[in-house]
Amino acid sequence: MLLEVMMQANVGNIDRVIRILAGLLLIGGALTGAIGAWGWIGVVPLLTGIFRFCPAYLPFHWNTCEKK
């Protein structure tokens, strides 16, 4: 129950698209060797975009989802 409340979507549509694109670009750069191993950090924005949840937003009570 607590995990369900903590993992409510807090990443909105525009934020989500930017995260997914940035993640894919970083991973692509790592795969091609253009930016080295640091590009694998792109997994973080990719996953936060896919799951629509960013744990870094929690302490600040940020939420980029549209208001209902």
Side-chain angles (χ1 to χ4, degrees):
M1 181 79 164
L2 178 60
L3 184 60
E4 183 179 316
V5 171
M6 285 181 55
M7 295 218 27
Q8 288 180 345
N10 63 2
V11 174
N13 290 333
I14 295 171
D15 193 2
R16 183 180 193 194
V17 169
I18 292 169
R19 288 169 182 268
I20 291 172
L21 289 175
L24 290 173
L25 286 171
L26 286 166
I27 292 169
L31 288 172
T32 61
I35 59 175
W38 281 102
W40 289 106
I41 198 72
V43 170
V44 174
L46 179 63
L47 290 177
T48 59
I50 290 171
F51 291 111
R52 300 190 67 150
F53 175 74
C54 180
Y57 280 7
L58 289 178
F60 304 105
H61 303 285
W62 290 344
N63 187 338
T64 59
C65 293
E66 292 181 13
K67 303 283 188 233
K68 292 181 181 181

